[in-house]
Amino acid sequence: MEHALESFDIYPLVFPADKEAVINVKPLFEQVDFNLAGKVRVDYTPMLYPNKGQELLAWATGNDTPFEVTDDGVVIRQFLLGEQEHAFAVYVTNADGKEDVWLRFNVYSLNDDLMALRPYKGDFHMHSMESDGLESPEYVTASCRKVGFDFMVLTDHRKYEPSLRATKFAESLPTGLKAFPGEEVHLPDNPVHIVNFGSSFSVNDLANSDEAKYRKEVEGIAAGFPEEMPEHVRFQVASSEWAYDKIREGGGLAMFCHPYWRIAWRYNYIWESCVDWMFKRSKFDILELLGGFYRHESFSNNEQTARYTQEMIKSGGKVNWAVAGISDAHGCDRDLFGWYYTVLFAEDCEFDSLKAAFNAQRSVAVKSIENECPEIYGDLRYVRYVDFLMKKFYPRHDKLCRLEGELMLRHLAGEEGMSELLNTFPIRGKAMFEKYWAGK
């Protein structure tokens, strides 16, 4: 009979392409021990194209075969051609001569550029009780780890300081979560919502501390616009571009938020012509492709993904902004939180590496609602890879994150010894990647 994947530890899961992979399949419980099962056979199938010159079936008859049964399980050796997913099935023949599937699993092979990077997932648009959310910045931070995030940014309306509280709390505990500064920017007389991801200062405070200067600088930007831009959107676009520039001056990245958000089911929160010109000029760094909308608001994300497709076609696939999925959650213990997130392919989970990943458009936007089919948007290469990770890696990753998040919440509630307990976790972050990603 086929056994659950959770009964085995399979590692590594990700390998360099065009090399021989050595895959360890370790039974975790007595009932799935290969040495008690019978004769073993391995069936291998590449997902995208055949692995020419390689046998797909082999029997465990000696060390010269693609696999061997050891005291710890099964060690499989297989050349993995190209960048793709690979499927394996392990069969066992029992004493009665009947062959059954014992286990099915998959691994992935990557070309050198992507093999050198690691996938980090997170959310960088959410709110705390310091604006209109329900919980403290620290509670939001712990909850982000609990749902499996590697990085997060708290972006309260018009407030930067709460994100510093979140960052400080994340740094105070030994977990794999990174938190960075941010805010949701709302500028005078400009309805466009903008997220400041990682700037060293508050753009809200900058505009409000000297509004006359802000308006003068916005007028200067608008003066350079083409004559065909409608008068009623010139200030909105110019003000937004002022914010984008200031965010980048602070070392951060600017996200154009929910361009197709509808107010009370009646109309988009900004003019359609404003959206058109924002895309035409494309001065933002990141597009909120999947936003925090409830199921009954699916039209907003449908329109955003349609616009993304349209812009990609129009530009020949060479837009100058990255895509993101964000929750815009206003509470951690209700819907939306954890439903939407971004996966970035970066050297590490520090801000400079995540920023470089966005600038290189190495990101995908993910919708992942429990008991529903996930949706992944971005470059096909990354979408295929993240689909594999969501099935084969993130479930294991997220179990650890859930434990860490629970302990962070218990620490926040005043329970003693939680920080010390977190220090006992044997594998997290870099260590987890070292185990499940093969050497180059």
Side-chain angles (χ1 to χ4, degrees), residues 37-39 92-100:
K39 196 173 184 180
V92 166
T93 301
N94 61 28
D96 296 331
K98 182 181 178 182
E99 183 181 73
D100 284 320

Side-chain angles (χ1 to χ4, degrees), residues 21-38:
V22 179
I23 308 164
N24 300 283
V25 183
K26 181 180 179 181
L28 298 177
F29 309 103
E30 181 182 2
Q31 65 268 24
V32 293
D33 189 338
F34 293 105
N35 289 292
L36 301 177

Side-chain angles (χ1 to χ4, degrees), residues 2-138:
E2 183 173 352
H3 295 281
L5 201 58
E6 292 76 15
S7 295
F8 302 84
D9 191 9
I10 301 166
Y11 59 95
L13 290 172
V14 183
F15 297 87
D18 302 318
K19 293 182 180 179
E20 183 183 71
V22 179
I23 308 164
N24 300 283
V25 183
K26 181 180 179 181
L28 298 177
F29 309 103
E30 181 182 2
Q31 65 268 24
V32 293
D33 189 338
F34 293 105
N35 289 292
L36 301 177
K39 196 173 184 180
V40 175
R41 179 171 68 88
V42 173
D43 181 350
Y44 160 67
T45 308
M47 301 290 278
L48 296 183
Y49 39 79
N51 198 346
K52 295 180 180 179
Q54 300 294 316
E55 294 184 10
L56 298 187
L57 304 180
W59 289 88
T61 57
N63 291 332
D64 58 344
T65 60
F67 71 93
E68 61 179 318
V69 179
T70 71
D71 291 340
D72 291 328
V74 169
V75 178
I76 299 171
R77 298 179 182 273
Q78 178 65 54
F79 186 89
L80 303 179
L81 180 66
E83 186 168 281
Q84 61 173 317
E85 188 172 350
H86 308 265
F88 291 84
V90 180
Y91 294 83
V92 166
T93 301
N94 61 28
D96 296 331
K98 182 181 178 182
E99 183 181 73
D100 284 320
V101 175
W102 197 254
L103 168 69
R104 300 180 197 269
F105 69 92
N106 297 59
V107 301
Y108 211 95
S109 57
L110 297 171
N111 292 335
D112 290 345
D113 60 335
L114 195 49
M115 188 68 204
L117 307 173
R118 298 293 179 262
Y120 298 99
K121 67 174 180 175
D123 186 357
F124 56 100
H125 187 177
M126 64 195 89
H127 302 275
S128 78
M129 61 190 291
E130 295 299 312
S131 61
D132 57 347
L134 297 179
E135 303 98 0
S136 71
E138 293 80 6

Side-chain angles (χ1 to χ4, degrees), residues 101-401:
V101 175
W102 197 254
L103 168 69
R104 300 180 197 269
F105 69 92
N106 297 59
V107 301
Y108 211 95
S109 57
L110 297 171
N111 292 335
D112 290 345
D113 60 335
L114 195 49
M115 188 68 204
L117 307 173
R118 298 293 179 262
Y120 298 99
K121 67 174 180 175
D123 186 357
F124 56 100
H125 187 177
M126 64 195 89
H127 302 275
S128 78
M129 61 190 291
E130 295 299 312
S131 61
D132 57 347
L134 297 179
E135 303 98 0
S136 71
E138 293 80 6
Y139 190 97
V140 176
T141 304
S143 298
C144 281
R145 190 56 173 171
K146 186 178 175 182
V147 296
F149 292 155
D150 302 301
F151 69 92
M152 60 85 67
V153 182
L154 186 64
T155 53
D156 275 325
H157 298 286
R158 299 180 175 84
K159 292 184 177 181
Y160 181 81
E161 190 276 336
S163 72
L164 302 184
R165 284 179 54 183
T167 301
K168 183 178 180 181
F169 179 67
E171 291 174 346
S172 71
L173 294 172
T175 74
L177 178 70
K178 298 288 184 179
F180 304 105
E183 63 188 339
E184 186 162 4
V185 178
H186 301 277
L187 297 174
D189 293 335
N190 181 12
V192 178
H193 293 190
I194 297 163
V195 157
N196 169 2
F197 173 35
S199 173
S200 60
F201 57 81
S202 168
V203 174
N204 285 301
D205 291 350
L206 186 67
N208 294 324
S209 63
D210 193 341
E211 188 172 331
K213 182 180 180 182
Y214 151 76
R215 292 185 179 278
K216 183 177 181 180
E217 291 176 350
V218 170
E219 288 176 4
I221 294 172
F225 286 166
E227 293 183 2
E228 62 267 27
M229 183 183 291
E231 184 64 33
H232 67 280
V233 302
R234 295 174 75 89
F235 182 86
Q236 294 177 15
V237 176
S239 171
S240 299
E241 293 189 8
W242 179 89
Y244 301 155
D245 289 341
K246 297 304 179 184
I247 291 170
R248 284 189 287 267
E249 284 179 19
L253 295 174
M255 183 173 73
F256 177 25
C257 298
H258 38 66
Y260 289 101
W261 173 39
R262 294 185 188 177
I263 303 293
W265 293 75
R266 292 194 299 273
Y267 55 86
N268 286 355
Y269 87 110
I270 52 178
W271 294 101
E272 178 78 0
S273 52
C274 178
V275 174
D276 291 341
W277 277 97
M278 293 282 268
F279 278 109
K280 185 176 292 188
R281 293 179 60 80
S282 288
K283 298 295 185 179
F284 51 90
D285 303 299
I286 307 167
L287 171 68
E288 179 186 304
L289 180 60
L290 294 178
F293 296 107
Y294 292 97
R295 292 176 178 87
H296 68 273
E297 300 171 308
S298 60
F299 46 78
S300 294
N301 279 331
N302 288 342
E303 291 182 14
Q304 285 166 191
T305 53
R307 185 62 186 254
Y308 164 69
T309 303
Q310 178 179 303
E311 293 297 322
M312 291 293 284
I313 293 172
K314 186 190 303 182
S315 66
K318 296 183 179 180
V319 295
N320 61 349
W321 34 263
V323 298
I326 55 84
S327 70
D328 198 0
H330 288 66
C332 302
D333 300 317
R334 61 182 188 179
D335 288 348
L336 291 182
F337 189 75
W339 280 13
Y340 305 90
Y341 57 84
T342 302
V343 176
L344 287 167
F345 304 99
E347 292 183 1
D348 53 50
C349 202
E350 300 300 329
F351 179 77
D352 287 345
S353 294
L354 300 182
K355 178 180 176 181
F358 267 130
N359 285 335
Q361 299 179 25
R362 297 193 304 264
S363 69
V364 297
V366 178
K367 174 185 176 182
S368 182
I369 303 176
E370 189 175 4
N371 298 322
E372 294 187 15
C373 294
E375 298 176 18
I376 312 168
Y377 295 88
D379 187 279
L380 175 60
R381 182 190 188 195
Y382 301 143
V383 169
R384 279 180 173 151
Y385 183 28
V386 171
D387 182 73
F388 166 81
L389 295 172
M390 291 181 71
K391 293 181 294 186
K392 307 302 181 183
F393 172 69
Y394 283 136
R396 187 176 297 274
H397 165 277
D398 292 355
K399 283 183 180 179
L400 172 64
C401 294

